[in-house]
Amino acid sequence: VSKLAADGSMIDSRWATDLQNPMGMRVSGKRLWINNNTEIVGLNLDNPNDRIVYPIDGAISLNDLATDFSGYAYLSDSLNSRVVRVNLATGENSTYISTLPSSPNGVLVQGDRLYIASWGVMSDRPEERAEWITKTAGDLYWVSLKDAKKSRQIIAPELGNLDGVEIDRNGNIYVSDWESGKLYKISSETKKVIDLGQYGQGLADIGLNSLTGELALPIMLSNEVLFFTPSPQ
């Protein structure tokens, strides 16, 4: 895990090491929580060698991670088509929601909503499934954390192979498409999907600076992080 300043300058390229495949991260309390294949790892922000590790029952390949204000994390287990909820105090975990037939990728908790950016419905062919090829593009939707039925509320249907999702202080939603490299904005006022441009294949788990409104755009296939400031509307 690398640590960068808000302006993109490198502070420590190897801030945390000895992880297998870190994907998705959020700060909760004094720890940075990261998915690591089939486990979740909590790194002390002052000393990344101080770690808590919780194995996740039945996980195949954990992807994105979101946290709430009640001490829980929500993990997208993409190849299992489910979201797992983890008690960060105890490590107790279980399937929170099945997303069949689609595979979840980006997750975000905002208020009493869990937003899910779907990768899509995987191909039935094993060789294509191994390459994460989809037969149906992914939806952007949310479910209420207070609704036992967890009914899906579709925001943008079949938008793409979606990866990261963030929401700014004005309620605008931003979502990335890994395959096309496009960044989308869903306006809080018009609810329309706005194409903000193409940033290269591999546009992954975006991050939002809540103080400045700036978005960090990691481009996996070119090994770089770009910074984008949306218009204030």
Side-chain angles (χ1 to χ4, degrees):
V1 178
S2 298
K3 186 176 182 179
L4 280 68
D7 64 1
S9 59
M10 185 64 68
I11 296 175
D12 189 343
S13 63
R14 292 175 60 81
W15 178 75
T17 60
D18 298 322
L19 295 163
Q20 297 175 348
N21 188 26
M23 296 179 69
M25 56 185 175
R26 289 281 172 179
V27 172
S28 180
K30 297 182 179 181
R31 293 186 181 272
L32 175 66
W33 293 92
I34 301 175
N35 288 329
N36 192 38
N37 273 350
T38 60
E39 62 189 19
I40 180 175
V41 181
L43 306 175
N44 187 311
L45 292 172
D46 295 323
N47 177 12
N49 292 318
D50 172 11
R51 305 180 177 192
I52 296 173
V53 179
Y54 296 138
I56 303 303
D57 301 333
I60 295 179
S61 179
L62 299 174
N63 208 321
D64 199 13
L65 182 153
T67 56
D68 64 17
F69 289 104
S70 300
Y72 289 92
Y74 299 81
L75 325 175
S76 56
D77 190 5
S78 301
L79 297 182
N80 271 329
S81 296
R82 65 170 182 159
V83 173
V84 178
R85 188 170 81 159
V86 185
N87 184 324
L88 295 179
T90 66
E92 182 180 0
N93 62 89
S94 62
T95 297
Y96 181 72
I97 182 175
S98 169
T99 62
L100 286 170
S102 64
S103 297
N105 193 333
V107 288
L108 176 70
V109 173
Q110 184 86 342
D112 62 358
R113 294 180 178 182
L114 172 64
Y115 289 81
I116 298 175
S118 170
W119 182 261
V121 180
M122 293 286 192
S123 171
D124 295 326
R125 298 181 179 181
E127 66 276 12
E128 292 184 344
R129 189 178 180 86
E131 297 295 326
W132 288 60
I133 295 174
T134 53
K135 59 182 181 180
T136 305
D139 304 331
L140 176 64
Y141 60 95
W142 61 269
V143 298
S144 173
L145 296 174
K146 296 182 177 180
D147 178 13
K149 295 182 179 179
K150 303 181 180 68
S151 302
R152 300 184 197 186
Q153 306 298 318
I154 304 294
I155 300 170
E158 298 186 15
L159 187 57
N161 293 129
L162 305 181
D163 199 309
V165 57
E166 290 284 359
I167 301 177
D168 68 19
R169 65 181 64 183
N170 296 317
N172 300 303
I173 304 172
Y174 300 89
V175 62
S176 58
D177 182 331
W178 194 100
E179 191 65 33
S180 71
K182 287 186 176 182
L183 177 68
Y184 295 104
K185 171 184 175 181
I186 293 86
S187 169
S188 62
E189 295 182 356
T190 66
K191 309 303 179 185
K192 292 183 178 180
V193 177
I194 302 166
D195 187 338
L196 294 178
Q198 194 164 12
Y199 294 88
Q201 190 179 39
L203 176 58
D205 187 13
I206 59 178
L208 173 71
N209 185 328
S210 60
L211 298 178
T212 65
E214 192 173 44
L215 291 167
L217 312 178
I219 316 297
M220 288 179 63
L221 300 189
S222 59
N223 299 320
E224 60 182 340
V225 178
L226 307 179
F227 291 84
F228 173 78
T229 303
S231 61
Q233 290 80 19

